[in-house]
Amino acid sequence: MTVDPGFPDKTTLLQAWDALRALGAPEQGGTRAGAHDIRALFEGDPGRASRYTAVLDDLVIDFSKTSLDDAALEVLHALSRAAGLSLFRDRLFAGDVVNVTEGRAAMHMALRDGPDAALSADVAGGHLGGDREDASALASAELGRMGEFVSGVHDGRIRGATGAVFTDVLNIGIGGSDLGPLMATEALTVAHGPRLRARFLSNVDGHGFAAAIRGLDPARTLVLVASKTFTTQETATNAAAARAWLSEALGEPAVADHFVALSTNLAAVASFGIRPDRVFGFRDWVGGRFSLWSPVGLSIALAAGFDAFQAMLAGAAAMDAHFRAAPFATNLPVLLALAGIWHVDVCQYRAQCVLAYDDRLRRFPAYLQQLEMESNGKSTGLDGRRVRQLTCPVVFGEPGTNAQHSFMQLIHQGTSVVPVDFILAATPDHDRPEAHRILAAHAFAQAEALLRGRGLAEVEAEMRAKGVSEASIAAVAPHRVFDGNRPSITILSGRLDAFALGRLIALYEHKVAVQGCIWGINSFDQWGVELGKALAAGLLPDLAPGAPEGDHDHSTNALIARFRALRGED
Ligand code: F6P
């Protein structure tokens, strides 16, 4: 391969990493005692809250409740320079092959930046002088076809085989062909309900299929088979089951009117038998976890409306423009990425929690888990060597306030420090302002509690004032102490409409790309999912009744034997 990934100068990079680590506390191998005393940072700087808040229109990100200080930011920016972030960003938007191990560009921005953006993508695997294609033109043409189709379904011009209008959509897909569309569809339809009801079938577990079709009328159901590769076993199995379910009810010819494919693999789609005008394509330069902007997002448009889908694209385009042009010192994805690197590599926090105080974003953590961990859960650098620094933390989350009644105990008082991203909109899309103020009060209070903590003396005084006995105080007070100084970032926007949702998603997409660049890894491949897939294919025949013992480790062989025995098949 003739790709030049633009390796940065090794010595400068190592020096930048060393300089960064030196800013940690002695117990983390650094030199600064009290490096993570966030409360002291506030005491020493009355302007900290505003100095550590970055703004883009109505989107506000408050980084002040972290242990980042000016020295840390300076060194983090030096690290990003040493890692070649500026060149990486240029190459990303130039459609160069940034996904070097798969020989592809990562040009999902073309799906949302409109035809005038004139974005192109290298389609020759980085070979010098190779072909490029007009990504913006391709994306716009397909978006136009999607718009036509969605309006046809919505106004009843496009109907099922029996002449019934479509009322339900069943999206069959997994990973990026499920998580993004599901998350966004929920986010955009919770408040006012959907134009078409959407269900999402991802797992190959037959219970999932049973639940997905329960109560669905096949005559009124449009089935979307979303799969970038069209080779994913789970999706193929579920698509075949859905096809059998539909043909049994309406006859095999009805499949043509009820099935839609969203894929890059047009040959495989054709052999499944989906008619060409029901196929919406995209290209390899769209990664699976970045595909909700592509035809894979058709479920979003059908459920929430094409206008909402377009507004979501526009919001993401606004973030693209900001990321592409803003200086790194005020660049929101860059700052979010640097804060994450600070937490992982200096503070050595191994987990990251995301709490959206917004029920519309209840699937956002699941979506983010794939985006962050499939992208940056890697230990091999672009140079083929094992990286020396820690990379992606474990990402998890739940909607607030629900999380407060499950795992927030650990985040407040556990032995692990877990930074939290709080996400909140100032104005809800419902008419119960008091409920929203309660929700917001909890979000702000959680962040405040994490920062402030509560010392032993304060707890004891409070208990004494309530007349608690000295014996009880001695026994209970230590359990009621909160260390405080626990970091969080608050992401606040005016509303969470479709535009703001697109902007939020793109914020995290670019954060992930920036972190990948600085960690020196390829954020756009996912080789780590291959081994399990290959072994599952080899193992499947061993589960059949009477199959001889397979070539596995002793534990796996014993479990297979017990599985078969418990099924009464041996
Ligand atoms: O889990 C691996 C993966 O390749 C993801 O990256 C992808 O989103 C998912 O499988 C589904 O792939 P496809 O859309 O090709 O069915």
Side-chain angles (χ1 to χ4, degrees):
M1 196 171 285
T2 53
V3 173
D4 170 15
F7 290 132
D9 175 65
K10 202 106 200 162
T11 313
T12 317
L13 191 56
L14 288 176
Q15 282 168 352
W17 275 112
D18 288 344
L20 183 67
R21 287 193 195 96
L23 293 181
E27 59 272 23
Q28 294 145 356
T31 57
R32 296 198 304 172
H36 308 303
D37 187 344
I38 309 172
R39 289 179 303 224
L41 292 173
F42 275 100
E43 278 156 25
D45 178 6
R48 178 171 175 81
S50 65
R51 286 205 313 116
Y52 279 78
T53 294
V55 176
L56 170 63
D57 303 324
D58 65 319
L59 177 63
V60 175
I61 307 187
D62 178 356
F63 296 94
S64 67
K65 294 193 186 79
T66 66
S67 58
L68 283 171
D69 59 8
D70 293 356
L73 273 180
E74 197 180 315
V75 175
L76 282 162
H77 282 301
L79 174 65
S80 68
R81 280 193 297 278
L85 180 59
S86 188
L87 175 64
F88 167 80
R89 183 179 60 176
D90 290 349
R91 296 185 67 233
L92 180 73
F93 280 94
D96 287 356
V97 172
V98 289
N99 178 356
V100 286
T101 60
E102 295 183 315
R104 293 173 189 162
M107 194 22 99
H108 42 281
M109 297 81 69
L111 300 165
R112 59 217 189 188
D113 287 5
D116 296 343
L119 295 169
S120 68
D122 183 322
V123 288
H127 294 283
L128 292 177
D131 290 345
R132 301 186 71 83
E133 68 185 6
D134 187 339
S136 295
L138 278 163
S140 298
E142 215 56 0
L143 184 63
R145 288 188 61 226
M146 284 170 69
E148 283 295 307
F149 181 73
V150 170
S151 69
V153 171
H154 283 166
D155 66 24
R157 273 181 291 121
I158 297 176
R159 293 170 180 240
T162 65
V165 295
F166 290 115
T167 53
D168 295 84
V169 179
L170 175 61
N171 186 85
I172 300 177
I174 197 163
S177 299
D178 167 72
L179 291 162
L182 168 55
M183 175 272 291
T185 297
E186 285 214 356
L188 299 178
T189 60
V190 160
H192 303 295
R195 297 284 304 265
L196 251 67
R197 293 182 293 259
R199 296 186 185 196
F200 292 83
L201 173 60
S202 51
N203 199 344
V204 73
D205 184 345
H207 301 108
F209 180 78
I213 59 161
R214 187 169 300 130
L216 270 189
D217 177 358
R220 296 178 178 277
T221 301
L222 192 58
V223 180
L224 312 183
V225 185
S227 177
K228 176 179 170 179
T229 57
F230 227 74
T231 57
T232 304
Q233 188 186 36
E234 293 93 326
T235 300
T237 306
N238 282 329
R243 181 185 190 134
W245 165 75
L246 201 116
S247 325
E248 201 174 300
L250 306 176
E252 177 64 20
V255 168
D257 291 319
H258 288 256
F259 269 68
V260 174
L262 319 165
S263 185
T264 58
N265 187 350
L266 303 184
V269 167
S271 63
F272 185 87
I274 295 180
R275 63 187 227 214
D277 64 321
R278 295 289 166 89
V279 178
F280 297 91
F282 56 108
R283 294 286 216 258
D284 268 352
W285 37 261
V286 180
R289 52 195 173 274
F290 304 93
S291 64
L292 81 166
W293 320 102
S294 79
V296 167
L298 189 64
S299 51
I300 308 170
L302 286 164
F306 195 67
D307 289 350
F309 185 66
Q310 282 185 301
M312 192 181 88
L313 301 185
M319 183 54 72
D320 290 342
H322 167 76
F323 173 55
R324 198 174 180 180
F328 290 159
T330 54
N331 193 306
L332 301 191
V334 173
L335 292 171
L336 201 55
L338 295 183
I341 286 174
W342 175 254
H343 286 149
V344 171
D345 292 297
V346 179
C347 310
Q348 295 171 12
Y349 305 147
R350 307 287 181 105
Q352 168 70 52
C353 180
V354 55
L355 296 181
Y357 276 69
D358 196 314
D359 233 41
R360 293 168 294 180
L361 290 177
R362 60 192 166 206
R363 294 293 295 171
F364 193 66
Y367 159 79
L368 214 51
Q369 283 168 12
Q370 187 199 16
L371 177 65
E372 299 229 12
M373 296 198 277
E374 194 167 85
S375 298
N376 285 340
K378 313 216 167 126
S379 50
T380 304
L382 287 167
D383 58 2
R385 300 199 182 161
R386 204 170 174 87
V387 295
R388 284 159 34 116
Q389 61 281 356
L390 295 173
T391 60
C392 189
V394 174
V395 177
F396 70 102
E398 271 291 313
T401 60
N402 301 31
Q404 294 168 207
H405 302 276
S406 62
F407 56 71
M408 284 306 282
Q409 164 65 42
L410 180 149
I411 294 181
H412 284 291
Q413 285 190 315
T415 50
S416 300
V417 175
V418 182
V420 180
D421 284 358
F422 289 96
I423 301 175
L424 179 72
T427 305
D429 205 4
H430 60 70
D431 56 4
R432 298 181 51 239
E434 191 52 23
H436 194 65
R437 274 192 284 269
I438 294 171
L439 181 77
H442 278 286
F444 295 137
Q446 287 294 313
E448 187 175 23
L450 287 169
L451 169 68
R452 182 203 284 196
R454 191 161 61 160
L456 186 62
E458 189 184 336
V459 175
E460 288 176 341
E462 190 184 289
M463 291 177 83
R464 236 167 244 129
K466 286 185 178 156
V468 179
S469 73
E470 287 304 314
S472 293
I473 292 174
V476 176
H479 299 274
R480 299 181 60 182
V481 167
F482 293 70
D483 292 342
N485 268 327
R486 298 204 164 196
S488 69
I489 290 169
T490 300
I491 300 176
L492 176 66
S493 65
R495 289 182 174 273
L496 184 78
D497 53 17
F499 181 91
L501 176 70
R503 191 177 56 183
L504 178 73
I505 299 168
L507 167 72
Y508 276 95
E509 282 183 350
H510 292 315
K511 167 209 161 175
V512 163
V514 169
Q515 289 189 329
C517 166
I518 294 175
W519 281 324
I521 56 180
N522 178 5
S523 301
F524 302 107
D525 63 12
Q526 55 284 316
W527 300 106
V529 304
E530 295 297 324
L531 179 60
K533 277 188 200 172
L535 291 185
L539 199 147
L540 182 60
D542 301 339
L543 296 180
E549 187 174 85
D551 182 20
H552 309 290
D553 60 82
H554 294 310
S555 163
T556 305
N557 273 334
L559 286 167
I560 291 172
R562 281 183 192 277
F563 175 83
R564 280 166 36 176
L566 284 167
R567 287 165 61 87
E569 288 177 344
D570 264 350

